[in-house]
Coordinates of all heavy atoms in Angstrom, one line a residue:
I269 N 3.3 -88.3 9.1 CA 4.6 -87.9 8.4 C 5.6 -89.0 8.4 O 6.2 -89.3 7.3 CB 5.2 -86.7 9.2 CG1 4.2 -85.5 9.0 CG2 6.5 -86.3 8.6 CD1 4.6 -84.3 9.8
V270 N 5.8 -89.7 9.5 CA 6.7 -90.8 9.5 C 6.3 -91.9 8.5 O 7.2 -92.5 7.9 CB 6.8 -91.4 11.0 CG1 7.7 -92.7 11.0 CG2 7.5 -90.4 11.9
D271 N 5.0 -92.2 8.4 CA 4.6 -93.3 7.6 C 4.5 -92.9 6.1 O 4.4 -93.8 5.2 CB 3.1 -93.7 8.0 CG 3.1 -94.4 9.3 OD1 4.2 -94.9 9.8 OD2 2.0 -94.5 10.0
T272 N 4.6 -91.6 5.8 CA 4.5 -91.2 4.4 C 5.7 -90.5 3.8 O 5.8 -90.4 2.6 CB 3.3 -90.3 4.2 OG1 3.5 -89.1 5.0 CG2 2.0 -91.0 4.6
Q273 N 6.6 -90.0 4.6 CA 7.8 -89.3 4.1 C 9.1 -90.0 4.3 O 9.3 -90.8 5.2 CB 7.8 -87.9 4.9 CG 6.6 -87.1 4.7 CD 6.3 -86.7 3.3 OE1 7.2 -86.2 2.6 NE2 5.1 -86.9 2.9
P274 N 10.0 -89.7 3.4 CA 11.3 -90.4 3.4 C 12.1 -89.8 4.6 O 11.9 -88.7 5.2 CB 12.0 -90.0 2.1 CG 11.3 -88.7 1.7 CD 9.9 -88.8 2.2
P275 N 13.1 -90.6 5.1 CA 13.9 -90.2 6.3 C 14.5 -88.9 6.2 O 14.6 -88.1 7.2 CB 14.9 -91.3 6.4 CG 14.3 -92.5 5.7 CD 13.5 -92.0 4.6
E276 N 15.0 -88.5 5.0 CA 15.7 -87.2 4.8 C 14.7 -86.0 5.1 O 15.2 -85.0 5.7 CB 16.3 -87.0 3.4 CG 15.3 -87.2 2.3 CD 15.3 -88.6 1.7 OE1 15.6 -89.5 2.5 OE2 14.9 -88.8 0.6
V277 N 13.5 -86.1 4.8 CA 12.5 -85.1 5.1 C 12.3 -85.0 6.6 O 12.3 -83.9 7.2 CB 11.1 -85.4 4.4 CG1 10.1 -84.4 4.9 CG2 11.3 -85.2 2.9
I278 N 12.2 -86.1 7.3 CA 12.0 -86.1 8.7 C 13.2 -85.6 9.4 O 13.1 -84.8 10.4 CB 11.7 -87.6 9.2 CG1 10.3 -88.1 8.6 CG2 11.6 -87.6 10.7 CD1 10.1 -89.5 8.8
N279 N 14.4 -85.9 9.0 CA 15.6 -85.5 9.6 C 15.8 -83.9 9.4 O 16.2 -83.2 10.4 CB 16.8 -86.2 9.0 CG 16.9 -87.6 9.5 OD1 16.4 -88.0 10.5 ND2 17.5 -88.5 8.7
K280 N 15.3 -83.4 8.3 CA 15.4 -82.0 8.1 C 14.5 -81.3 9.0 O 14.8 -80.2 9.5 CB 15.1 -81.6 6.6 CG 16.2 -81.9 5.6 CD 15.8 -81.5 4.2 CE 16.9 -81.8 3.2 NZ 16.6 -81.4 1.8
M281 N 13.3 -81.8 9.2 CA 12.3 -81.2 10.2 C 12.9 -81.2 11.6 O 12.8 -80.2 12.3 CB 11.0 -82.0 10.2 CG 10.2 -81.9 8.9 SD 8.7 -82.8 8.9 CE 7.8 -82.1 10.2
I282 N 13.5 -82.3 12.0 CA 14.1 -82.3 13.3 C 15.3 -81.3 13.4 O 15.4 -80.6 14.5 CB 14.7 -83.8 13.6 CG1 13.5 -84.7 13.7 CG2 15.5 -83.8 14.9 CD1 13.9 -86.2 13.8
D283 N 16.1 -81.2 12.4 CA 17.2 -80.2 12.4 C 16.6 -78.8 12.5 O 17.2 -77.9 13.3 CB 18.0 -80.3 11.2 CG 18.9 -81.6 11.2 OD1 19.1 -82.1 12.3 OD2 19.3 -82.0 10.1

Side-chain angles (χ1 to χ4, degrees):
I269 293 171
V270 170
D271 290 343
T272 60
Q273 299 300 309
E276 55 268 23
V277 172
I278 297 172
N279 289 335
K280 284 182 179 179
M281 291 178 63
I282 293 172
D283 288 340

